[in-house]
Amino acid sequence: MPHQCTNCGRVFDDGSKEMLSGCPGCGGNTFQFHPEGTDVPSEPPDAEPPDPEGSGTANTVGRAATRVRDFVSTDDPVTPDSASGPPESPPGTPGRSDAPSTGDDAGTASASTTGPATDTGSNAGDTGPDPNTPWPSERDDGGEDLPTDEDGIIDADAREAARAPDTAGMETGGGSDATGTDNGGPLDGSAPDGPAPAAGSSSGSDASGAPNAPASEAPGEGRVASTPDEDQPDISELREQLNDQFESIKILEPGQYELNLMELYDREEYIIALQENGRYVIQVPEQWLGDQPGDA
Amino acid sequence: MGLLTSIRSSISKLFAASEPRRIGIYGPPNAGKTTLANRIARDWTGDAVGPESHVPHETRRARRKENVEIKRNGSSVNIDIVDTPGVTTKVDYTEFLEHDMAEDDAIRRSREATEGVAEAMHWLREDVDGVIYVLDATTDPFTQVNTMLIGIIESQDLPVLIFANKIDLEDASVQRIRNAFPQHETVPLSALEGDNMDEVYDKIAEYFG
């Protein structure tokens, strides 16, 4: 049983899949590996506690509350309207720079909330729900947490959120998962008062430095979690580029061809017949040379 | 393949002694390469090289006229003329449909033209000792294909002459071609009308003799 959650001390078998999405007991996502034959301490190691505030549900709730407080306090001067203007937030980029893992537009509207989400890191895709709650204008209007289509940014994120519940649900269902609480709180109404103003000022807090808290807590797990999403398009683009580069004759359709002259020139073998089915008949240099040794 | 091989091998045996320079006539489609090749061949051997046409990609396989002896100033120069398919980066059969061609024929012509370009590019790498680059003086010479081919030829250190063809046409501009490739000798001519052919043969003897 070599893996132990550094948060609650729960132990997992080697190769356990449970821990892949965070500790089901406490939502922690740091584990210590204990090689075969070594003793697994019953208590989690003190050396690397991710959170000073304790563990488990209390910890998560406490952390969320702290963040809410931070947001509220730092954003007092910011009115909801001005807060809704994400473009003004460049000064807040330090906070965002720690959260870019999630990558996309979420950055502007929900940078600060992205921070907390990524810091728990167990499911970066869940960062979506955060932006839903944030906007005070919606709250003020008595709107639900669910996104509206009025704001493009919110809406975009909200759609992700709509997709997210599957994983989020699993996490929250698992217990006091940190991510679940952070993200799900506003949605499930467990902390309806807090998140509303906090989130409402999220873009503002973004600019005013509230992200410090999340930033300091975001050691990078979130980045790892979201990497695959960003890698996918890059790989396919790269593959496309390589294909473009290495293909000497591209058959667009019968009778329509694109030729890569440098490729044709560089190749030792050369094409002497194009077949209807897209195959080539090529002249192989070895045969060529073998047949006419006397050729200068 | 076997046919090509035997042709090549008979050629090399036939002319092993004299070793004429193989001069490739290159250029974009419809620049007048075959017209020029025919003009040269008729002037010095009496035979033609191949059919000429206004339809692009009339020449879809490289054609040779061997051992063309050009006499200049009391001496003679032996060359093999290789007329090549027009080099291009795109071949589209719909282009041929405008010339009253059935779709099937157009598609086949397109495929053959593509093979021809591949062959021409291969011969440029393996098989020519010098290049006559033919351009239509009525069109813009600043094209990707021209730049790339001239670059390849330069990288091969092959002697190259640029022929500004079709000067019999009103909107021909030799200077535009000179400006495009100032590093090379540009010879104006009309292969169709036979204009300025004396200078053409002088330059061929000078560059490839």
Side-chain angles (χ1 to χ4, degrees):
Chain A
M1 296 199 288
H3 299 281
Q4 183 178 32
C5 175
T6 59
N7 202 25
C8 66
R10 183 163 170 171
V11 176
F12 302 86
D13 286 336
D14 195 8
S16 160
K17 289 177 182 169
E18 286 178 272
M19 50 184 284
L20 291 180
S21 54
C23 174
C26 70
N29 54 9
T30 46
F31 302 90
Q32 183 168 19
F33 179 68
H34 299 282
E36 211 73 55
T38 61
D39 290 338
V40 179
S42 56
E43 291 296 316
D46 293 337
E48 35 185 3
D51 299 296
E53 300 177 13
S55 66
T57 310
N59 166 29
T60 310
V61 171
R63 236 167 35 193
T66 305
R67 257 175 236 137
V68 167
R69 249 179 278 124
D70 287 344
F71 295 161
V72 173
S73 59
T74 51
D75 292 325
D76 276 342
V78 183
T79 69
D81 284 342
S82 68
S84 64
E88 304 168 2
S89 59
T93 47
R96 222 180 303 158
S97 65
D98 277 356
S101 43
T102 58
D104 32 37
D105 344 311
T108 48
S110 61
S112 63
T113 53
T114 307
T118 52
D119 97 52
T120 62
S122 51
N123 46 1
D126 289 348
T127 54
D130 289 322
N132 300 339
T133 52
W135 298 94
S137 52
E138 296 169 15
R139 285 285 179 168
D140 294 342
D141 294 347
E144 277 306 309
D145 297 332
L146 293 175
T148 68
D149 284 333
E150 290 168 9
D151 186 309
I153 299 171
I154 293 181
D155 186 38
D157 291 334
R159 289 205 186 104
E160 284 182 23
R163 266 179 260 127
D166 291 342
T167 50
M170 282 166 47
E171 302 274 330
T172 50
S176 57
D177 168 31
T179 309
T181 309
D182 277 353
N183 294 335
L187 284 174
D188 61 29
S190 62
D193 296 332
S201 53
S202 69
S203 65
S205 67
D206 181 18
S208 55
N212 288 343
S216 63
E217 287 184 338
E221 298 99 319
R223 243 163 276 160
V224 174
S226 67
T227 304
D229 288 341
E230 297 191 280
D231 278 355
Q232 282 308 101
D234 287 344
I235 289 172
S236 62
E237 273 176 34
L238 187 63
R239 196 168 285 149
E240 204 169 300
Q241 282 178 357
L242 289 176
N243 284 342
D244 285 347
Q245 266 179 310
F246 291 116
E247 195 165 18
S248 53
I249 295 180
K250 181 183 282 183
I251 303 175
L252 304 175
E253 63 176 85
Q256 290 186 322
Y257 304 91
E258 278 183 7
L259 297 89
N260 184 335
L261 297 182
M262 282 310 293
E263 262 308 299
L264 289 170
Y265 171 75
D266 277 338
R267 291 190 176 204
E268 289 204 359
E269 74 280 3
Y270 86 101
I271 295 158
I272 60 173
L274 283 170
Q275 307 297 307
E276 291 290 355
N277 57 8
R279 291 183 180 169
Y280 305 63
V281 175
I282 62 171
Q283 173 68 51
V284 186
E286 281 80 6
Q287 293 174 305
W288 186 258
L289 293 173
D291 284 346
Q292 43 171 356
D295 185 48
Chain B
M1 177 203 81
L3 181 65
L4 273 178
T5 307
S6 60
I7 291 174
R8 278 181 56 109
S9 125
S10 63
I11 288 166
S12 55
K13 276 176 205 156
L14 197 56
F15 298 107
S18 58
E19 287 291 335
R21 312 282 304 269
R22 269 170 301 222
I23 308 303
I25 300 179
Y26 279 85
N30 248 12
K33 295 177 293 300
T34 302
T35 307
L36 173 68
N38 283 341
R39 165 74 59 183
I40 296 174
R42 285 199 188 101
D43 279 358
W44 300 100
T45 71
D47 297 331
V49 170
E52 305 158 20
S53 158
H54 289 297
V55 186
H57 297 292
E58 181 66 28
T59 306
R60 297 183 294 283
R61 301 306 298 257
R63 294 194 190 93
R64 290 170 181 251
K65 188 71 186 174
E66 293 89 16
N67 211 22
V68 177
E69 186 182 18
I70 296 175
K71 295 190 174 69
R72 299 317 279 176
N73 303 325
S75 65
S76 70
V77 179
N78 272 327
I79 59 171
D80 289 353
I81 297 171
V82 184
D83 182 28
T84 65
V87 175
T88 182
T89 53
K90 275 188 181 173
V91 182
D92 187 346
Y93 74 96
T94 56
E95 187 186 348
F96 305 135
L97 297 179
E98 298 162 13
H99 298 272
D100 284 337
M101 199 175 292
E103 185 165 325
D104 284 355
D105 292 339
I107 289 177
R108 190 175 60 245
R109 186 186 184 93
S110 176
R111 194 180 66 239
E112 291 170 357
T114 303
E115 293 169 9
V117 174
E119 191 182 38
M121 293 306 293
H122 183 79
W123 283 34
L124 181 57
R125 174 192 164 109
E126 306 269 320
D127 224 32
V128 295
D129 303 317
V131 172
I132 291 172
Y133 200 79
V134 182
L135 288 167
D136 180 344
T138 67
T139 61
D140 184 3
F142 287 102
T143 67
Q144 185 194 359
V145 167
N146 292 341
T147 309
M148 189 186 296
L149 277 181
I150 295 286
I152 289 174
I153 292 162
E154 286 171 352
S155 73
Q156 291 271 79
D157 278 333
L158 292 171
V160 57
L161 274 175
I162 294 183
F163 282 10
N165 196 19
K166 306 192 184 183
I167 57 168
D168 55 306
L169 299 179
E170 249 181 37
D171 44 355
S173 168
V174 177
Q175 194 55 45
R176 188 167 49 180
I177 294 177
R178 284 206 175 97
N179 292 343
F181 304 104
Q183 70 275 35
H184 298 293
E185 178 101 31
T186 297
V187 184
L189 77 153
S190 168
L192 186 65
E193 301 295 330
D195 297 344
N196 203 34
M197 291 308 290
D198 273 346
E199 187 187 357
V200 165
Y201 295 130
D202 284 345
K203 291 296 181 188
I204 288 177
E206 179 186 336
Y207 272 72
F208 308 124

